[in-house]
Amino acid sequence: NAKDIIKHLPRQFQLNQRFAEDAVLLAQSLISSQRELLPMRLEDVQAKIEKTEKKIDEYQHGRKTPKKVDLPTCLDGLHRRLEKLKFKEAELKHHLDHGTIPRVIFGGKQNFYKRLKGNITNEEWKDLRSNQLYARGDKSKKGNLNIRLVYDDHTYECYVEIANPLGQPKGKHAPRLRLPVSVPEKYEEEIIDLVMGEPVGVNAKGKPIIEYRPYTVEIKRKNGEYYVHLVYEEEVYGRELAYDEPIQAERIAGMDINIDRIAVSIVSKQGNFLQSKVFYCHELEYVKANKRNNIIGETVRDVYDWLLQENVGAVVIENIQLRQRHDTDKRFHRLTHQFKKKKLMETILRRGLRLGFRIKKVNPAYTSVIGRFKYMKKYGLSVHESAALVIGRRGLGYQERLPK
């Protein structure tokens, strides 16, 4: 029972009531997200089973031959893989039928096995399991009650103030820890506007009434350093169009999104090609998560800077579905995993909406084939630019057909 847990947590860990409520809310959101992922995970496992069974049949009947090992070794490996997949399928079906979720390891599964093997100490393992602090936003509590960002007009610096229940005198408010925070220059103005609030009038005593926007704060410890993550609603000026809603703009950009590049073609409202450009991001395939996020952000920024220069009013993007092949192709799996389709799509959508673009998603089926045969030679475009042209025209409602 969530209410019983909230009552128990402050006594055991010396938290205030709101910290306890936030911890329960965070756990509930984790459980709900795991439940939502169960059908997708089951679908992926079943597809892998089907692919593995097909490969076993092909090897057994001589339609395929293994390249690196002999046939018995190859078949033995595939049978063991199939056994593991069927066990996983049965486990996921059990969770779906009984409304439960797979076990979640706080601190990370990989780190858990490191601890079992003795590769990390017990203190390191406990540190990994207690490396974050979470506080939800509240409009009536100056944006956030327990963890609040403040801006000092005298020092021109940002600070984080954290409620400290451990030092709370009986019957009084908890004292606050005040620590300096380094804010990246590109976000400084936006963060200051968020935490300072907006004057909306004066009260009966003549004091200003400040309206604050709620923001959720999560502090994470990593390698001895602390990182402050903010979550808040952005003010957007554009909107996402329905698939059958007409685009009202003089110039429209179609985007063909790939692992190593984003091709953009601009068309008129009549569907005529105007110009195109390719934005490369080759490093996206190989770099680590933090660097990858920076590359995505910088590439998407460059795309929209160019579109603003060209007076484009609407963007058409493909509703991409990059799924695993369910094979043993490690390189493709690594690329599709690191591609972060969701992250890239969210960045394109969020920045476009923030800048006032109208954005529409279309089915990308056969766009590359149609573009290659109909527009590639005609306009001297690459295959990706011609696919972006087809996507832009499809957003305008033109029904392109495959050439015979």
Side-chain angles (χ1 to χ4, degrees):
N1 189 308
K3 290 184 179 179
D4 293 337
I5 295 172
I6 291 171
K7 288 180 182 178
H8 177 71
L9 285 176
R11 291 195 299 269
Q12 183 171 353
F13 297 103
Q14 291 184 278
L15 301 172
N16 62 27
Q17 180 80 5
R18 194 174 182 88
F19 267 133
E21 290 173 354
D22 291 347
V24 171
L25 280 174
L26 195 60
Q28 287 175 335
S29 66
L30 176 63
I31 292 169
S32 64
S33 67
Q34 289 294 313
R35 283 203 178 107
E36 289 175 9
L37 287 171
L38 269 177
M40 188 183 299
R41 291 176 66 183
L42 179 60
E43 182 187 339
D44 282 345
V45 169
Q46 289 172 338
K48 288 177 182 179
I49 289 172
E50 184 182 345
K51 182 72 175 179
T52 305
E53 288 175 339
K54 184 180 177 182
K55 288 183 76 172
I56 290 173
D57 182 68
E58 288 175 339
Y59 283 124
Q60 285 178 338
H61 291 85
R63 291 192 295 273
K64 287 182 74 173
T65 54
K67 297 178 180 178
K68 296 184 179 180
V69 295
D70 56 62
L71 183 60
T73 304
C74 178
L75 287 173
D76 180 60
L78 287 171
H79 280 296
R80 281 189 280 115
R81 172 181 167 85
L82 184 61
E83 185 181 345
K84 288 181 181 179
L85 288 171
K86 286 188 174 179
F87 177 80
K88 189 69 176 177
E89 180 191 28
E91 182 186 6
L92 293 173
K93 281 183 176 179
H94 176 81
H95 287 303
L96 272 174
D97 294 340
H98 293 81
T100 55
I101 63 169
R103 291 181 179 179
V104 176
I105 301 176
F106 290 96
K109 185 177 179 180
Q110 189 176 6
N111 293 321
F112 175 70
Y113 286 113
K114 282 182 181 179
R115 176 65 194 127
L116 289 180
K117 294 175 183 177
N119 294 333
I120 59 174
T121 64
N122 191 42
E123 289 74 20
E124 288 174 321
W125 171 240
K126 287 182 177 179
D127 186 63
L128 289 166
R129 286 168 60 85
S130 58
N131 63 349
Q132 68 181 68
L133 186 62
Y134 173 85
R136 72 187 189 276
D138 191 328
K139 186 177 180 179
S140 63
K141 307 294 183 183
K142 294 186 177 180
N144 196 302
L145 178 63
N146 277 335
I147 306 177
R148 188 177 296 158
L149 252 68
V150 295
Y151 177 71
D152 194 319
D153 291 328
H154 301 291
T155 61
Y156 302 107
E157 289 185 359
C158 284
Y159 297 87
V160 61
E161 293 185 346
I162 308 168
N164 181 22
L166 297 175
Q168 183 175 1
K170 194 172 182 180
K172 294 186 178 181
H173 293 296
R176 288 184 172 270
L177 301 173
R178 184 180 170 98
L179 304 165
V181 175
S182 175
V183 180
E185 188 177 346
K186 60 181 178 180
Y187 298 122
E188 197 170 64
E189 186 177 345
E190 186 177 347
I191 297 300
I192 292 172
D193 288 342
L194 172 70
V195 301
M196 292 293 285
E198 183 179 355
V200 293
V202 293
N203 60 17
K205 295 182 180 180
K207 293 184 177 180
I209 300 172
I210 308 296
E211 187 177 84
Y212 292 90
R213 291 163 57 192
Y215 56 92
T216 295
V217 182
E218 188 174 21
I219 300 177
K220 290 189 175 182
R221 181 178 62 244
K222 185 177 180 182
N223 299 327
E225 295 183 338
Y226 292 84
Y227 297 87
V228 181
H229 300 266
L230 297 182
V231 179
Y232 55 93
E233 289 187 4
E234 291 183 307
E235 294 182 0
V236 296
Y237 305 98
R239 68 186 184 89
E240 190 174 345
L241 303 178
Y243 75 97
D244 57 349
E245 189 175 353
I247 297 176
Q248 302 295 332
E250 293 294 322
R251 288 178 156 222
I252 300 93
M255 289 190 191
D256 179 58
I257 303 165
N258 297 276
I259 292 173
D260 59 347
R261 72 197 70 192
I262 300 175
V264 186
S265 291
I266 300 175
V267 298
S268 67
K269 63 180 180 180
Q270 292 83 18
N272 298 321
F273 172 72
L274 298 176
Q275 56 183 310
S276 65
K277 190 173 182 179
V278 180
F279 298 84
Y280 293 96
C281 45
H282 298 297
E283 301 93 341
L284 206 59
E285 302 179 26
Y286 308 105
V287 295
K288 293 183 179 180
N290 291 339
K291 181 66 175 175
R292 184 168 59 239
N293 292 339
N294 288 337
I295 292 171
I296 289 173
E298 289 170 2
T299 306
V300 173
R301 181 200 61 198
D302 292 342
V303 169
Y304 279 113
D305 284 349
W306 182 65
L307 294 182
L308 287 170
Q309 291 175 8
E310 301 300 329
N311 297 317
V312 172
V315 172
V316 184
I317 58 177
E318 49 186 338
N319 196 5
I320 57 176
Q321 296 292 331
L322 258 183
R323 303 297 296 274
Q324 285 189 337
R325 290 174 179 169
H326 309 295
D327 204 344
T328 52
D329 188 344
K330 292 182 180 180
R331 183 176 184 274
F332 183 80
H333 289 175
R334 175 174 60 80
L335 294 181
T336 54
H337 174 71
Q338 293 188 346
F339 183 37
K340 293 290 185 184
K341 175 195 72 176
K342 186 177 179 182
K343 172 69 176 177
L344 183 56
M345 296 299 292
E346 283 178 354
T347 306
I348 290 171
L349 273 171
R350 187 173 66 247
R351 191 169 188 87
L353 293 175
R354 187 196 298 173
L355 294 172
F357 287 89
R358 290 175 289 284
I359 299 179
K360 188 174 186 178
K361 290 182 180 179
V362 297
N363 185 352
Y366 303 112
T367 51
S368 296
V369 179
I370 295 170
R372 181 185 293 115
F373 285 105
K374 291 188 70 175
Y375 303 116
M376 193 171 170
K377 287 186 178 180
K378 183 178 179 180
Y379 296 112
L381 304 175
S382 69
V383 65
H384 300 295
E385 290 171 303
S386 54
L389 172 57
V390 176
I391 289 168
R393 286 173 55 82
R394 190 168 288 182
L396 288 167
Y398 290 98
Q399 299 297 322
E400 306 274 7
R401 292 185 178 182
L402 281 169
K404 295 183 180 179

PDB file of all heavy atoms in Angstrom, residues 40 48 82 85 116 122 157 165 189 192 199 201 203-204 232 259 276 282 284 300 310 319 329 342 366 372 381:
ATOM      1  N   MET A  40       5.841  -5.005 -25.942  1.00  0.00           N
ATOM      2  CA  MET A  40       6.881  -4.781 -26.951  1.00  0.00           C
ATOM      3  C   MET A  40       8.045  -5.754 -26.763  1.00  0.00           C
ATOM      4  O   MET A  40       8.560  -6.309 -27.734  1.00  0.00           O
ATOM      5  CB  MET A  40       7.388  -3.336 -26.863  1.00  0.00           C
ATOM      6  CG  MET A  40       8.333  -2.946 -27.977  1.00  0.00           C
ATOM      7  SD  MET A  40       8.986  -1.269 -27.784  1.00  0.00           S
ATOM      8  CE  MET A  40       7.481  -0.314 -27.843  1.00  0.00           C
ATOM      9  N   LYS A  48      12.515 -12.994 -32.418  1.00  0.00           N
ATOM     10  CA  LYS A  48      13.834 -13.626 -32.356  1.00  0.00           C
ATOM     11  C   LYS A  48      13.715 -15.146 -32.398  1.00  0.00           C
ATOM     12  O   LYS A  48      14.542 -15.823 -33.020  1.00  0.00           O
ATOM     13  CB  LYS A  48      14.559 -13.190 -31.081  1.00  0.00           C
ATOM     14  CG  LYS A  48      15.036 -11.747 -31.110  1.00  0.00           C
ATOM     15  CD  LYS A  48      15.684 -11.372 -29.792  1.00  0.00           C
ATOM     16  CE  LYS A  48      16.110  -9.905 -29.799  1.00  0.00           C
ATOM     17  NZ  LYS A  48      16.715  -9.508 -28.510  1.00  0.00           N
ATOM     18  N   LEU A  82      17.879 -20.681 -28.716  1.00  0.00           N
ATOM     19  CA  LEU A  82      16.436 -20.886 -28.801  1.00  0.00           C
ATOM     20  C   LEU A  82      15.853 -21.266 -27.445  1.00  0.00           C
ATOM     21  O   LEU A  82      14.770 -20.794 -27.063  1.00  0.00           O
ATOM     22  CB  LEU A  82      16.136 -21.987 -29.834  1.00  0.00           C
ATOM     23  CG  LEU A  82      14.662 -22.273 -30.128  1.00  0.00           C
ATOM     24  CD1 LEU A  82      13.972 -21.036 -30.701  1.00  0.00           C
ATOM     25  CD2 LEU A  82      14.534 -23.444 -31.098  1.00  0.00           C
ATOM     26  N   LEU A  85      15.620 -18.117 -25.348  1.00  0.00           N
ATOM     27  CA  LEU A  85      14.559 -17.231 -25.819  1.00  0.00           C
ATOM     28  C   LEU A  85      13.176 -17.748 -25.413  1.00  0.00           C
ATOM     29  O   LEU A  85      12.296 -16.967 -25.023  1.00  0.00           O
ATOM     30  CB  LEU A  85      14.648 -17.083 -27.339  1.00  0.00           C
ATOM     31  CG  LEU A  85      15.817 -16.251 -27.876  1.00  0.00           C
ATOM     32  CD1 LEU A  85      15.907 -16.382 -29.392  1.00  0.00           C
ATOM     33  CD2 LEU A  85      15.678 -14.779 -27.482  1.00  0.00           C
ATOM     34  N   LEU A 116      28.494  -9.515  -7.602  1.00  0.00           N
ATOM     35  CA  LEU A 116      28.490 -10.953  -7.355  1.00  0.00           C
ATOM     36  C   LEU A 116      29.863 -11.577  -7.628  1.00  0.00           C
ATOM     37  O   LEU A 116      30.279 -12.512  -6.930  1.00  0.00           O
ATOM     38  CB  LEU A 116      27.435 -11.633  -8.244  1.00  0.00           C
ATOM     39  CG  LEU A 116      25.963 -11.388  -7.907  1.00  0.00           C
ATOM     40  CD1 LEU A 116      25.067 -12.135  -8.871  1.00  0.00           C
ATOM     41  CD2 LEU A 116      25.636 -11.801  -6.471  1.00  0.00           C
ATOM     42  N   ASN A 122      31.329  -3.750  -1.601  1.00  0.00           N
ATOM     43  CA  ASN A 122      29.977  -3.551  -1.083  1.00  0.00           C
ATOM     44  C   ASN A 122      29.662  -2.065  -0.938  1.00  0.00           C
ATOM     45  O   ASN A 122      28.534  -1.624  -1.182  1.00  0.00           O
ATOM     46  CB  ASN A 122      29.835  -4.257   0.275  1.00  0.00           C
ATOM     47  CG  ASN A 122      28.391  -4.304   0.734  1.00  0.00           C
ATOM     48  OD1 ASN A 122      27.484  -4.564  -0.056  1.00  0.00           O
ATOM     49  ND2 ASN A 122      28.172  -4.046   2.014  1.00  0.00           N
ATOM     50  N   GLU A 157      25.186  34.273  -9.771  1.00  0.00           N
ATOM     51  CA  GLU A 157      25.374  32.834  -9.819  1.00  0.00           C
ATOM     52  C   GLU A 157      24.095  32.107  -9.441  1.00  0.00           C
ATOM     53  O   GLU A 157      23.239  32.664  -8.751  1.00  0.00           O
ATOM     54  CB  GLU A 157      26.507  32.404  -8.865  1.00  0.00           C
ATOM     55  CG  GLU A 157      27.897  32.816  -9.324  1.00  0.00           C
ATOM     56  CD  GLU A 157      28.983  32.255  -8.411  1.00  0.00           C
ATOM     57  OE1 GLU A 157      28.628  31.562  -7.427  1.00  0.00           O
ATOM     58  OE2 GLU A 157      30.167  32.509  -8.680  1.00  0.00           O
ATOM     59  N   PRO A 165      16.122  17.418   6.070  1.00  0.00           N
ATOM     60  CA  PRO A 165      15.350  16.954   7.237  1.00  0.00           C
ATOM     61  C   PRO A 165      16.227  16.438   8.378  1.00  0.00           C
ATOM     62  O   PRO A 165      15.775  16.393   9.520  1.00  0.00           O
ATOM     63  CB  PRO A 165      14.495  15.809   6.657  1.00  0.00           C
ATOM     64  CG  PRO A 165      14.481  16.024   5.188  1.00  0.00           C
ATOM     65  CD  PRO A 165      15.802  16.643   4.869  1.00  0.00           C
ATOM     66  N   GLU A 189      20.096  31.797 -19.635  1.00  0.00           N
ATOM     67  CA  GLU A 189      18.962  32.731 -19.682  1.00  0.00           C
ATOM     68  C   GLU A 189      17.638  32.001 -19.456  1.00  0.00           C
ATOM     69  O   GLU A 189      16.774  32.473 -18.722  1.00  0.00           O
ATOM     70  CB  GLU A 189      18.942  33.445 -21.038  1.00  0.00           C
ATOM     71  CG  GLU A 189      17.891  34.540 -21.133  1.00  0.00           C
ATOM     72  CD  GLU A 189      17.934  35.276 -22.466  1.00  0.00           C
ATOM     73  OE1 GLU A 189      18.952  35.137 -23.189  1.00  0.00           O
ATOM     74  OE2 GLU A 189      16.957  35.976 -22.780  1.00  0.00           O
ATOM     75  N   ILE A 192      17.357  30.955 -15.707  1.00  0.00           N
ATOM     76  CA  ILE A 192      17.098  32.114 -14.840  1.00  0.00           C
ATOM     77  C   ILE A 192      15.646  32.558 -14.964  1.00  0.00           C
ATOM     78  O   ILE A 192      14.981  32.844 -13.964  1.00  0.00           O
ATOM     79  CB  ILE A 192      18.070  33.266 -15.178  1.00  0.00           C
ATOM     80  CG1 ILE A 192      19.494  32.887 -14.785  1.00  0.00           C
ATOM     81  CG2 ILE A 192      17.648  34.555 -14.467  1.00  0.00           C
ATOM     82  CD1 ILE A 192      20.547  33.866 -15.246  1.00  0.00           C
ATOM     83  N   PRO A 199       6.337  38.390 -12.507  1.00  0.00           N
ATOM     84  CA  PRO A 199       5.405  39.249 -11.749  1.00  0.00           C
ATOM     85  C   PRO A 199       4.060  39.349 -12.477  1.00  0.00           C
ATOM     86  O   PRO A 199       4.013  39.610 -13.671  1.00  0.00           O
ATOM     87  CB  PRO A 199       6.121  40.608 -11.723  1.00  0.00           C
ATOM     88  CG  PRO A 199       7.540  40.326 -12.088  1.00  0.00           C
ATOM     89  CD  PRO A 199       7.516  39.126 -12.974  1.00  0.00           C
ATOM     90  N   GLY A 201       1.283  40.995 -10.761  1.00  0.00           N
ATOM     91  CA  GLY A 201       0.480  42.033 -10.114  1.00  0.00           C
ATOM     92  C   GLY A 201       1.039  42.339  -8.737  1.00  0.00           C
ATOM     93  O   GLY A 201       2.172  41.965  -8.400  1.00  0.00           O
ATOM     94  N   ASN A 203      -0.179  42.680  -4.363  1.00  0.00           N
ATOM     95  CA  ASN A 203      -1.212  42.350  -3.380  1.00  0.00           C
ATOM     96  C   ASN A 203      -1.705  43.594  -2.661  1.00  0.00           C
ATOM     97  O   ASN A 203      -1.323  44.724  -3.011  1.00  0.00           O
ATOM     98  CB  ASN A 203      -0.687  41.307  -2.388  1.00  0.00           C
ATOM     99  CG  ASN A 203       0.549  41.801  -1.624  1.00  0.00           C
ATOM    100  OD1 ASN A 203       0.831  42.999  -1.584  1.00  0.00           O
ATOM    101  ND2 ASN A 203       1.274  40.867  -1.032  1.00  0.00           N
ATOM    102  N   ALA A 204      -2.528  43.406  -1.639  1.00  0.00           N
ATOM    103  CA  ALA A 204      -3.128  44.542  -0.923  1.00  0.00           C
ATOM    104  C   ALA A 204      -2.082  45.394  -0.212  1.00  0.00           C
ATOM    105  O   ALA A 204      -2.291  46.586   0.011  1.00  0.00           O
ATOM    106  CB  ALA A 204      -4.163  44.026   0.080  1.00  0.00           C
ATOM    107  N   TYR A 232      10.750  20.497 -16.988  1.00  0.00           N
ATOM    108  CA  TYR A 232       9.675  21.495 -16.922  1.00  0.00           C
ATOM    109  C   TYR A 232       9.026  21.626 -18.289  1.00  0.00           C
ATOM    110  O   TYR A 232       9.572  21.195 -19.308  1.00  0.00           O
ATOM    111  CB  TYR A 232      10.226  22.855 -16.474  1.00  0.00           C
ATOM    112  CG  TYR A 232      11.364  23.385 -17.306  1.00  0.00           C
ATOM    113  CD1 TYR A 232      11.125  24.231 -18.383  1.00  0.00           C
ATOM    114  CD2 TYR A 232      12.673  23.049 -17.019  1.00  0.00           C
ATOM    115  CE1 TYR A 232      12.159  24.723 -19.157  1.00  0.00           C
ATOM    116  CE2 TYR A 232      13.726  23.532 -17.780  1.00  0.00           C
ATOM    117  CZ  TYR A 232      13.465  24.366 -18.845  1.00  0.00           C
ATOM    118  OH  TYR A 232      14.494  24.847 -19.605  1.00  0.00           O
ATOM    119  N   ILE A 259      21.021   7.106 -39.993  1.00  0.00           N
ATOM    120  CA  ILE A 259      21.936   6.939 -38.866  1.00  0.00           C
ATOM    121  C   ILE A 259      23.081   7.948 -38.909  1.00  0.00           C
ATOM    122  O   ILE A 259      23.531   8.422 -37.874  1.00  0.00           O
ATOM    123  CB  ILE A 259      22.484   5.503 -38.846  1.00  0.00           C
ATOM    124  CG1 ILE A 259      21.354   4.533 -38.498  1.00  0.00           C
ATOM    125  CG2 ILE A 259      23.625   5.349 -37.849  1.00  0.00           C
ATOM    126  CD1 ILE A 259      21.739   3.087 -38.605  1.00  0.00           C
ATOM    127  N   SER A 276      17.843  21.747 -51.558  1.00  0.00           N
ATOM    128  CA  SER A 276      18.062  20.694 -50.562  1.00  0.00           C
ATOM    129  C   SER A 276      19.442  20.838 -49.947  1.00  0.00           C
ATOM    130  O   SER A 276      20.325  21.529 -50.478  1.00  0.00           O
ATOM    131  CB  SER A 276      17.906  19.310 -51.200  1.00  0.00           C
ATOM    132  OG  SER A 276      18.923  19.102 -52.164  1.00  0.00           O
ATOM    133  N   HIS A 282      28.267  11.694 -38.774  1.00  0.00           N
ATOM    134  CA  HIS A 282      28.878  10.363 -38.851  1.00  0.00           C
ATOM    135  C   HIS A 282      29.258   9.820 -37.479  1.00  0.00           C
ATOM    136  O   HIS A 282      29.185   8.614 -37.241  1.00  0.00           O
ATOM    137  CB  HIS A 282      30.125  10.401 -39.732  1.00  0.00           C
ATOM    138  CG  HIS A 282      29.850  10.789 -41.161  1.00  0.00           C
ATOM    139  ND1 HIS A 282      29.062  10.032 -41.986  1.00  0.00           N
ATOM    140  CD2 HIS A 282      30.238  11.870 -41.893  1.00  0.00           C
ATOM    141  CE1 HIS A 282      28.982  10.606 -43.172  1.00  0.00           C
ATOM    142  NE2 HIS A 282      29.683  11.718 -43.143  1.00  0.00           N
ATOM    143  N   LEU A 284      27.772   9.834 -34.812  1.00  0.00           N
ATOM    144  CA  LEU A 284      26.641   9.313 -34.061  1.00  0.00           C
ATOM    145  C   LEU A 284      26.686   7.797 -33.931  1.00  0.00           C
ATOM    146  O   LEU A 284      26.156   7.230 -32.983  1.00  0.00           O
ATOM    147  CB  LEU A 284      25.329   9.729 -34.758  1.00  0.00           C
ATOM    148  CG  LEU A 284      24.070   9.847 -33.912  1.00  0.00           C
ATOM    149  CD1 LEU A 284      24.258  10.860 -32.806  1.00  0.00           C
ATOM    150  CD2 LEU A 284      22.893  10.232 -34.781  1.00  0.00           C
ATOM    151  N   VAL A 300      20.513  19.001 -35.129  1.00  0.00           N
ATOM    152  CA  VAL A 300      19.127  19.474 -35.260  1.00  0.00           C
ATOM    153  C   VAL A 300      19.076  20.994 -35.223  1.00  0.00           C
ATOM    154  O   VAL A 300      18.304  21.622 -35.954  1.00  0.00           O
ATOM    155  CB  VAL A 300      18.243  18.857 -34.156  1.00  0.00           C
ATOM    156  CG1 VAL A 300      16.842  19.464 -34.170  1.00  0.00           C
ATOM    157  CG2 VAL A 300      18.144  17.340 -34.335  1.00  0.00           C
ATOM    158  N   GLU A 310      15.719  30.100 -44.729  1.00  0.00           N
ATOM    159  CA  GLU A 310      15.015  29.880 -45.994  1.00  0.00           C
ATOM    160  C   GLU A 310      13.509  30.123 -45.887  1.00  0.00           C
ATOM    161  O   GLU A 310      12.763  29.800 -46.811  1.00  0.00           O
ATOM    162  CB  GLU A 310      15.274  28.455 -46.495  1.00  0.00           C
ATOM    163  CG  GLU A 310      16.741  28.136 -46.727  1.00  0.00           C
ATOM    164  CD  GLU A 310      17.367  29.045 -47.767  1.00  0.00           C
ATOM    165  OE1 GLU A 310      16.644  29.492 -48.691  1.00  0.00           O
ATOM    166  OE2 GLU A 310      18.587  29.340 -47.662  1.00  0.00           O
ATOM    167  N   ASN A 319       7.770   8.881 -39.995  1.00  0.00           N
ATOM    168  CA  ASN A 319       7.438   8.192 -38.756  1.00  0.00           C
ATOM    169  C   ASN A 319       8.233   6.896 -38.729  1.00  0.00           C
ATOM    170  O   ASN A 319       7.718   5.816 -38.980  1.00  0.00           O
ATOM    171  CB  ASN A 319       5.930   7.909 -38.716  1.00  0.00           C
ATOM    172  CG  ASN A 319       5.458   7.560 -37.327  1.00  0.00           C
ATOM    173  OD1 ASN A 319       6.223   7.610 -36.375  1.00  0.00           O
ATOM    174  ND2 ASN A 319       4.203   7.195 -37.214  1.00  0.00           N
ATOM    175  N   ASP A 329      23.443 -10.062 -36.105  1.00  0.00           N
ATOM    176  CA  ASP A 329      24.202  -8.978 -36.736  1.00  0.00           C
ATOM    177  C   ASP A 329      24.502  -7.919 -35.675  1.00  0.00           C
ATOM    178  O   ASP A 329      23.713  -7.004 -35.438  1.00  0.00           O
ATOM    179  CB  ASP A 329      23.395  -8.378 -37.895  1.00  0.00           C
ATOM    180  CG  ASP A 329      24.212  -7.372 -38.703  1.00  0.00           C
ATOM    181  OD1 ASP A 329      25.258  -6.931 -38.201  1.00  0.00           O
ATOM    182  OD2 ASP A 329      23.794  -7.046 -39.814  1.00  0.00           O
ATOM    183  N   LYS A 342      14.208   7.465 -30.690  1.00  0.00           N
ATOM    184  CA  LYS A 342      13.277   8.248 -29.881  1.00  0.00           C
ATOM    185  C   LYS A 342      13.876   9.593 -29.497  1.00  0.00           C
ATOM    186  O   LYS A 342      13.206  10.624 -29.570  1.00  0.00           O
ATOM    187  CB  LYS A 342      12.894   7.461 -28.633  1.00  0.00           C
ATOM    188  CG  LYS A 342      11.816   8.114 -27.794  1.00  0.00           C
ATOM    189  CD  LYS A 342      11.431   7.253 -26.606  1.00  0.00           C
ATOM    190  CE  LYS A 342      10.362   7.947 -25.776  1.00  0.00           C
ATOM    191  NZ  LYS A 342       9.995   7.149 -24.581  1.00  0.00           N
ATOM    192  N   TYR A 366       8.643   3.283 -49.098  1.00  0.00           N
ATOM    193  CA  TYR A 366       9.043   3.416 -50.507  1.00  0.00           C
ATOM    194  C   TYR A 366       9.508   4.819 -50.895  1.00  0.00           C
ATOM    195  O   TYR A 366       9.665   5.117 -52.080  1.00  0.00           O
ATOM    196  CB  TYR A 366       7.906   2.995 -51.441  1.00  0.00           C
ATOM    197  CG  TYR A 366       7.420   1.590 -51.196  1.00  0.00           C
ATOM    198  CD1 TYR A 366       6.154   1.359 -50.671  1.00  0.00           C
ATOM    199  CD2 TYR A 366       8.220   0.495 -51.481  1.00  0.00           C
ATOM    200  CE1 TYR A 366       5.698   0.068 -50.428  1.00  0.00           C
ATOM    201  CE2 TYR A 366       7.782  -0.798 -51.241  1.00  0.00           C
ATOM    202  CZ  TYR A 366       6.528  -1.001 -50.716  1.00  0.00           C
ATOM    203  OH  TYR A 366       6.095  -2.280 -50.480  1.00  0.00           O
ATOM    204  N   ARG A 372      14.532   7.798 -55.831  1.00  0.00           N
ATOM    205  CA  ARG A 372      15.642   7.392 -56.685  1.00  0.00           C
ATOM    206  C   ARG A 372      15.234   7.375 -58.161  1.00  0.00           C
ATOM    207  O   ARG A 372      15.968   7.859 -59.028  1.00  0.00           O
ATOM    208  CB  ARG A 372      16.142   6.004 -56.264  1.00  0.00           C
ATOM    209  CG  ARG A 372      17.339   5.531 -57.105  1.00  0.00           C
ATOM    210  CD  ARG A 372      17.748   4.106 -56.759  1.00  0.00           C
ATOM    211  NE  ARG A 372      18.279   4.021 -55.419  1.00  0.00           N
ATOM    212  CZ  ARG A 372      17.715   3.341 -54.423  1.00  0.00           C
ATOM    213  NH1 ARG A 372      16.567   2.716 -54.628  1.00  0.00           N
ATOM    214  NH2 ARG A 372      18.264   3.290 -53.238  1.00  0.00           N
ATOM    215  N   LEU A 381      20.017  15.028 -57.382  1.00  0.00           N
ATOM    216  CA  LEU A 381      20.032  14.875 -55.932  1.00  0.00           C
ATOM    217  C   LEU A 381      20.629  13.539 -55.535  1.00  0.00           C
ATOM    218  O   LEU A 381      20.711  12.607 -56.329  1.00  0.00           O
ATOM    219  CB  LEU A 381      18.600  14.964 -55.376  1.00  0.00           C
ATOM    220  CG  LEU A 381      17.793  16.220 -55.705  1.00  0.00           C
ATOM    221  CD1 LEU A 381      16.366  16.078 -55.192  1.00  0.00           C
ATOM    222  CD2 LEU A 381      18.453  17.457 -55.107  1.00  0.00           C
TER     223      LEU A 381
END
